[in-house]
């Protein structure tokens, strides 16, 4: 309960939340029946709390029981408190909920911000608790993890599931305690085996459960044997075959001289026994045997869930991180090497989208099998999540060896396999980093390999890239630009500038292209050459596109209200935007909101968009635009990986010749041939053709002679803000008639003559 909450408030909360399930008195009676409050610490509970702490990488973990006025901790890891008033208990809130109770940041929660354990030591920020419920559904308390640092994203799905499993493990421990208590009272019916050994070595009591667990015959039991006779019988029948040698030595000793009284051992049939020995006053001992096979199986399952990937059986990220730290420690101490490979499967999403998740899962399993087959003893392969794997290579492999190994691995993964009548193969990109060549710290070494992996994917995928410091600097710069653009979007600093597209035959304005500009508060007006790299981020690309589209629609609406004929306005789109299948619907809705016909919008795409990882989504999006009346323009034609297939497959209406060919076409035969070929290609496909970067009358005249439809460039006008467009449209007839010759004068921002690789976005 939060500070200031009275018992009456608490009772009303119980009645409100759980009136149909249980009463507070029922809950307290159930808690009392387990006889857990005030008991000494136990290894089983501490182990479970430890698993919870490691799963969440949290400094504190508790097994907590909520009594009438207090909460009491059966296990308290990382915190030197064993009992608190119920009024300041997080867990008292948790037991009132059906599911897990998570507080991402206690300082931001009005229920807990003034809590003394939040405001003071141990300065709790994050809390996640799973309720301990009896078989009848009565909540007794929680197993919970706490952190000094807030976790806005809360726990992962895997952490949530493991914490829930641990709550069940705690309840199993409580049930076992209840069983033990009753069994100690009634020897004849107890579930534990019990053997009493007197000081002289005689064994007067072996209960039925002990005989069953140890496979001891009736005649041996009835003979009141000596302890050594029992041990010898067990040896003769292979009882200790699976027992470690040091423990076997302890068992061989006379019981009164044993140095280990509590241990676990596995019988030949696989049963796991917990053996406890209690000395008796006056001499002799009582030894109990408990079958903990199910508990050990549950613990092993919890360990597996915490350390293994459920789909592939490989170690998961948590186990991988521990192993990487251990191997780096060893390498530093021995002066040896550790190499790290991060592996990302190319086009994995396409397999999921086209063939279904079953095919994707099979691809991941096959990949895991192949990776395991390639590593050596001492190496490790893990699945980090999704389609990302990692391999740690131990010495004597160095960086060069790791790079060669990665190349072989790519070749191995390319081998095809059959799945439900289809032939599948895996292509992968790999980033490589190593110690001592790169960072010693595991987190930094992971960043090194991840940066190299990013470069491998950016450079075309299906390749190996070794980390270098330049790549890290470039990554940091990109991250900085992404953050600056994100801040600029919040401050609405991005605006469209417009450059006219001129009909070469009539000289009339045939439309405009919207080019993004950043009114930077420090650096002034910037082009995408400065910030275009941020648009590889899907979230930023989508946010930016919507913001630009709204401004363009607003400008078009204003010009139409002024009676101006602007023609269609082209907006550039980035590859990342096409990850959103609703892109076309969003843009068209904005036009509709501003009462702008779809025919007044043109979508410009670069050839790189056609090479994206979701061709079906891209095709559907462009088709949606085209069917609505919006034209599709292929920008910067000839600079990338254009294919005639793209012109046939996608609904392209318009191609734009890149300015790099137009600039020198009058003096460079190669550029002239390319320009002429592109114009001829466009005419043969019955496409509109626009030449970009036209700066002289001679260029315009030559392009018209070749059959080019439109021209765009500084010869006509530099990009201008939307407020300047009405003046330009009204005065263009005079300029066209020669009464105001020369290009319109508009301030050219830094790098303004060159459009970014994202098409001036």
């Amino acid at each position: 309960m939060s500070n200031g909450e009275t018992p009456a408030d608490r009772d009303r909360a119980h009645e409100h939340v759980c009136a149909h399930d249980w009463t507070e008195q029922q809950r307290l009676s159930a808690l009392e029946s387990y006889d857990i409050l005030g008991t000494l610490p136990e290894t089983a509970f501490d182990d479970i709390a430890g698993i919870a702490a490691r799963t969440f990488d949290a400094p504190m973990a508790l097994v907590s029981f909520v009594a009438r006025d207090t909460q009491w901790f059966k296990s308290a890891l990382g915190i030197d408190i064993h009992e608190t008033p119920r009024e300041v208990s997080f867990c008292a809130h948790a037991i009132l909920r059906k599911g897990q109770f998570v507080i991402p940041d206690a300082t931001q929660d009005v229920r807990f911000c003034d809590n003394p354990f939040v405001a003071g030591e141990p300065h709790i920020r994050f809390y996640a608790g799973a309720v301990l419920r009896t078989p009848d559904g009565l909540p007794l308390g929680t197993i919970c993890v706490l952190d000094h640092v807030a976790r806005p994203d809360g726990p992962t799905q895997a952490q949530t599931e493991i914490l829930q499993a641990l709550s069940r493990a705690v309840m199993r421990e409580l049930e076992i305690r209840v069983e033990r208590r009753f069994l100690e009272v009634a020897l004849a019916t107890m579930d534990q085996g019990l053997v009493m050994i007197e000081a002289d070595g005689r064994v007067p009591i072996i209960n039925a459960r002990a005989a069953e667990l140890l496979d001891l015959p009736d005649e041996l039991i009835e003979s009141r044997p000596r302890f050594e006779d029992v041990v010898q019988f067990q040896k003769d029948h292979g009882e200790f075959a699976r027992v470690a040698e040091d423990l076997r030595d302890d068992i061989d000793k006379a019981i009164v001289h044993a140095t280990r009284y509590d241990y676990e051992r596995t019988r030949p049939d696989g049963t796991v026994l917990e053996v406890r020995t209690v000395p008796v006053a006056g001499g002799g001992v009582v030894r109990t045997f408990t079958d903990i096979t199910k508990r050990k199986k549950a613990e092993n399952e919890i360990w597996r869930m915490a350390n293994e990937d459920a789909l592939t059986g490989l170690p998961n990220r948590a186990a991988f991180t521990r192993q990487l730290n251990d191997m780096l420690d060893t390498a530093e101490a021995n002066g040896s090497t550790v190499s790290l490979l991060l592996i990302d499967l190319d086009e994995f999403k396409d397999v999921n989208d086209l063939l279904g998740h079953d095919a994707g899962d099979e691809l991941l399993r096959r990949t895991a099998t192949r990776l395991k087959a390639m590593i050596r003893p001492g190496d490790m392969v893990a699945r980090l999540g999704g389609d990302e794997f990692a391999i740690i290579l131990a010495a004597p492999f160095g960086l060069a060896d790791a790079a060669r190994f990665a190349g072989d691995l790519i070749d191995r993964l390319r081998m095809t396999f059959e799945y439900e009548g289809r032939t599948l193969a895996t292509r992968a990109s790999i980033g490589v980093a190593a110690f001592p060549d790169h960072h010693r710290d595991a987190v930094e070494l992971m960043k090194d390999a991840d940066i190299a992996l990013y470069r491998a994917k950016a450079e075309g995928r299906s390749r190996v890239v070794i980390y270098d410091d330049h790549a890290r600097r470039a990554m940091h710069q990109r991250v900085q630009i992404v953050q600056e653009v994100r801040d600029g979007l919040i401050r609405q600093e991005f605006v469209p500038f417009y450059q006219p597209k001129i009909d070469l035959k009539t000289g009339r304005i045939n439309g405009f292209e919207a080019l993004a500009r950043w009114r930077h508060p420090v650096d002034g007006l910037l082009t995408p050459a400065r910030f275009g790299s941020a648009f590889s981020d899907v979230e930023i690309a989508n946010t930016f596109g919507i913001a630009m589209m709204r401004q363009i629609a607003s400008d078009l609406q204003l010009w139409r209200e002024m009676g101006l004929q602007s023609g269609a306005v082209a907006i550039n789109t980035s590859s990342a935007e096409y990850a959103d299948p609703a892109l076309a619907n969003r843009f068209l809705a904005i036009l509709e909101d501003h009462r702008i016909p779809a025919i007044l919008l043109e979508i410009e795409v670069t050839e790189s968009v056609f090479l994206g990882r979701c061709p079906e989504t891209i095709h559907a999006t462009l088709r949606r635009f085209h069917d609505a009346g919006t034209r599709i323009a292929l920008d910067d034609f000839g600079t990338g990986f254009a294919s005639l297939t793209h012109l046939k497959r996608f609904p392209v209406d318009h191609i734009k010749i890149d300015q790099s060919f137009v600039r020198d076409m009058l003096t460079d035969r190669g550029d002239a041939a390319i320009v002429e070929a592109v114009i001829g290609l466009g005419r043969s496909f019955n496409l509109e053709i626009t030449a970009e970067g036209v700066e002289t009358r001679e260029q315009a005249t030559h392009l018209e002679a070749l059959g080019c439809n439109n021209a765009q460039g500084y010869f006509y006008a530099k990009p201008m803000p939307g407020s300047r467009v009405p003046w330009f449209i009204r005065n263009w007839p005079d300029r066209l008639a020669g009464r105001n010759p020369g290009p319109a004068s508009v301030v050219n921002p830094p790098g303004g003559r060159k459009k970014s690789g994202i098409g001036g976005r």
Side-chain angles (χ1 to χ4, degrees):
M1 292 293 176
S2 60
N3 290 342
E5 189 170 23
T6 67
D9 294 332
R10 186 167 70 233
D11 292 340
R12 283 193 295 272
H14 287 311
E15 293 170 0
H16 175 70
V17 177
C18 300
H20 300 294
D21 298 327
W22 49 269
T23 66
E24 177 68 353
Q25 186 55 49
Q26 288 174 327
R27 192 190 71 79
L28 292 173
S29 297
L31 178 60
E32 183 178 0
S33 71
Y34 283 95
D35 196 24
I36 190 70
L37 299 180
T39 58
L40 295 175
E42 296 180 44
T43 301
F45 293 95
D46 288 344
D47 287 347
I48 294 171
I51 293 173
R54 291 192 295 275
T55 299
F56 279 74
D57 193 21
M60 297 173 283
L62 306 171
V63 176
S64 169
F65 295 93
V66 180
R68 185 181 303 276
D69 299 307
T70 62
Q71 70 167 343
W72 179 81
F73 306 142
K74 176 62 176 176
S75 178
L77 302 184
I79 183 170
D80 191 21
I81 301 172
H82 299 286
E83 188 176 70
T84 75
R86 179 168 172 167
E87 285 72 19
V88 297
S89 167
F90 284 62
C91 300
H93 285 262
I95 64 172
L96 302 180
R97 271 61 180 179
K98 294 295 185 182
Q100 290 193 15
F101 186 54
V102 177
I103 304 297
D105 187 350
T107 64
Q108 302 299 311
D109 193 309
V110 295
R111 297 169 296 179
F112 303 103
C113 59
D114 295 328
N115 189 297
F117 297 118
V118 175
E121 292 292 334
H123 296 290
I124 297 169
R125 294 294 180 268
F126 169 78
Y127 171 95
V131 180
L132 308 176
R133 295 189 187 277
T134 68
D136 296 328
L138 297 173
L140 306 181
T142 73
I143 177 168
C144 59
V145 292
L146 308 97
D147 201 345
H148 310 296
V149 179
R151 301 189 183 187
D153 295 332
T156 65
Q157 181 65 30
Q159 289 171 332
T160 298
E161 292 173 357
I162 291 172
L163 193 62
Q164 197 63 42
L166 292 175
S167 72
R168 294 192 293 271
V170 170
M171 289 308 301
R172 281 193 293 271
E173 288 297 330
L174 290 178
E175 297 296 337
I176 290 173
R177 291 184 85 263
V178 170
E179 291 173 4
R180 289 174 184 167
R181 191 177 70 233
F182 287 110
L183 295 175
E184 288 169 358
V185 176
L187 278 176
T189 58
M190 65 186 300
D191 192 49
Q192 287 175 302
L194 184 142
V195 176
M196 177 173 285
I197 303 133
E198 296 176 338
D200 63 358
R202 289 287 176 184
V203 184
I205 298 176
I206 301 176
N207 75 347
R209 182 59 173 156
E212 178 187 357
L213 289 174
L214 302 176
D215 284 333
L216 300 178
D218 291 343
E219 56 270 24
L220 178 64
I221 296 171
E222 293 167 359
S223 68
R224 291 178 56 87
R226 297 185 61 81
F227 174 72
E228 53 264 34
D229 296 333
V230 176
V231 171
Q232 187 59 52
F233 174 87
Q234 292 177 301
K235 285 182 179 181
D236 293 343
H237 290 80
E239 177 69 19
F240 306 123
R242 300 177 65 173
V243 174
E245 186 174 349
D246 59 337
L247 179 57
R248 194 179 304 126
D249 290 342
D250 246 2
I251 294 173
D252 283 344
K253 294 176 182 176
I255 191 66
V256 293
H257 301 299
T259 59
R260 196 183 318 186
Y261 289 102
D262 299 326
Y263 56 87
E264 296 174 2
R265 69 177 179 86
T266 303
R267 300 196 65 239
D269 63 0
T271 302
V272 181
L273 297 179
E274 181 183 65
V275 182
R276 293 184 178 274
T277 306
V278 180
V280 177
V285 297
V286 173
R287 174 165 286 181
T288 59
F289 301 85
T290 306
D291 183 349
I292 60 170
T293 307
K294 291 182 179 179
R295 190 182 87 190
K296 296 301 290 185
K297 183 178 180 181
E299 290 174 355
N300 290 337
E301 178 64 15
I302 291 170
W303 183 94
R304 189 194 65 77
M305 292 174 62
N307 291 275
E308 288 186 5
D309 172 58
L311 178 65
T312 64
L314 293 177
N316 62 13
R317 181 181 288 272
F320 167 82
T321 301
R322 289 194 299 272
Q323 181 71 4
L324 180 59
N325 276 298
D326 291 345
M327 292 179 70
L328 284 169
D329 289 342
T330 301
E332 184 178 42
N334 298 341
S336 57
T337 63
V338 173
S339 298
L340 173 61
L341 280 64
L342 288 188
I343 305 157
D344 186 84
L345 304 186
D346 301 332
E347 286 90 38
F348 176 73
K349 185 177 184 300
D350 291 345
V351 174
N352 269 341
D353 292 345
L354 295 175
L355 304 180
H357 289 283
D358 288 345
D361 289 348
E362 180 62 19
L363 184 61
L364 292 173
R365 284 190 288 264
R366 292 292 186 103
T367 299
T369 300
R370 290 176 175 180
L371 294 177
K372 283 192 293 186
M374 290 192 68
I375 63 172
R376 308 159 301 163
D379 297 337
M380 182 184 198
V381 58
R383 182 187 177 206
L384 303 186
D387 60 351
E388 191 173 13
F389 295 82
I391 291 178
I392 310 173
L393 299 176
F397 267 27
L399 183 59
D401 301 313
R404 284 191 294 272
F405 177 86
D408 294 341
L409 191 151
I410 286 179
D411 292 338
R412 178 70 174 269
L413 292 178
R414 283 198 187 105
M415 296 172 60
T416 61
F417 66 91
E418 295 295 320
Y419 175 76
E420 294 188 353
R422 290 180 177 265
T423 300
L424 300 181
T426 309
R427 292 199 309 152
S429 301
I430 302 178
V432 181
F435 170 78
D437 305 81
H438 304 128
H439 284 89
R440 158 63 180 85
D441 180 74
V443 173
E444 293 302 316
L445 192 65
M446 283 285 288
K447 289 181 182 177
D448 295 343
D450 195 46
I451 289 169
L453 175 60
Y454 177 84
R455 277 187 52 203
K457 293 190 288 187
E459 291 175 5
R461 304 179 183 275
S462 193
R463 65 192 62 209
V464 176
V465 170
I466 298 174
Y467 168 79
D468 59 51
D469 290 335
H470 173 74
R472 178 173 282 239
R473 289 192 297 270
M475 177 65 73
H476 285 170
Q477 183 179 15
R478 176 181 173 274
V479 171
Q480 181 179 353
I481 290 173
V482 167
Q483 185 57 51
E484 289 180 0
V485 169
R486 185 177 283 114
D487 294 341
L489 284 168
I490 294 172
R491 296 191 295 264
Q492 299 182 338
E493 294 170 353
F494 293 92
V495 296
F497 270 44
Y498 299 91
Q499 188 173 40
K501 182 176 64 177
I502 305 300
D503 188 308
L504 284 170
K505 287 189 179 297
T506 66
R508 294 174 180 170
I509 299 171
N510 203 17
F512 288 83
E513 179 180 359
L515 302 166
R517 295 293 183 261
W518 185 358
R519 296 190 187 276
H520 196 282
V522 176
D523 299 332
L525 195 63
L526 303 177
T527 72
R530 168 72 175 271
F531 57 86
S533 62
F535 299 124
S536 60
D537 184 289
V538 173
E539 179 185 357
I540 285 182
N542 285 326
T543 302
F544 193 96
I546 294 298
M548 290 293 291
M549 187 65 241
R550 288 198 177 105
Q551 293 185 70
I552 293 167
S554 180
D555 287 340
L556 274 169
Q557 184 181 35
L558 177 62
W559 301 338
R560 283 166 58 82
E561 291 171 353
M562 296 170 68
L564 301 175
Q565 300 295 322
S566 64
V569 174
I571 180 173
N572 295 277
T573 53
S574 66
S575 299
E577 288 176 89
Y578 288 87
D580 178 11
L583 173 65
N585 289 336
R586 295 182 195 278
F587 276 25
L588 294 172
I590 292 172
L591 290 178
E592 185 176 352
D593 289 343
H594 290 78
R595 301 185 301 280
I596 305 296
I599 196 172
L600 290 183
L601 177 68
E602 184 172 81
I603 296 295
E604 289 196 9
V605 295
T606 60
E607 295 157 9
S608 62
V609 170
F610 295 152
L611 302 174
R613 299 184 68 179
C614 302
E616 287 73 21
T617 301
I618 295 166
H619 184 275
T621 300
L622 295 180
R623 175 56 63 186
R624 174 74 178 93
F625 275 124
H626 194 269
D627 291 345
T630 296
R631 289 159 56 82
I632 309 299
L634 180 54
D635 196 15
D636 299 338
F637 190 79
T639 60
F641 302 91
S643 166
L644 297 182
T645 303
H646 296 146
L647 296 180
K648 293 176 62 179
R649 180 179 182 187
F650 295 97
V652 176
D653 305 289
H654 181 188
I655 58 175
K656 303 186 75 174
I657 307 172
D658 187 67
Q659 60 180 324
S660 62
F661 303 122
V662 174
R663 184 184 305 115
D664 298 323
M665 67 177 179
L666 298 180
T667 57
D668 186 295
R669 291 183 178 179
D671 287 346
I674 291 174
V675 170
E676 185 173 355
V678 172
I679 292 173
L681 180 66
R683 291 171 66 86
S684 67
F685 274 86
N686 198 28
L687 301 175
E688 184 180 354
I689 308 155
T690 296
E692 298 180 302
V694 176
E695 299 187 354
T696 68
R697 187 178 302 278
E698 290 76 16
Q699 290 173 336
T701 301
H702 184 69
L703 287 165
E704 181 184 0
L706 291 175
C708 184
N709 304 112
N710 309 300
Q712 179 182 333
Y714 281 23
F715 176 63
Y716 304 101
K718 298 175 183 178
M720 65 192 78
S723 60
R724 182 70 167 171
V725 170
W727 176 91
F728 182 84
I729 293 175
R730 291 192 184 105
N731 286 275
W732 181 249
D734 289 339
R735 294 185 58 227
L736 186 62
R739 292 189 290 272
N740 184 21
S745 178
V746 177
V747 175
N748 180 35
R753 287 181 176 269
K754 183 179 181 181
K755 290 165 57 173
S756 77
I758 202 165
R761 177 41 167 280

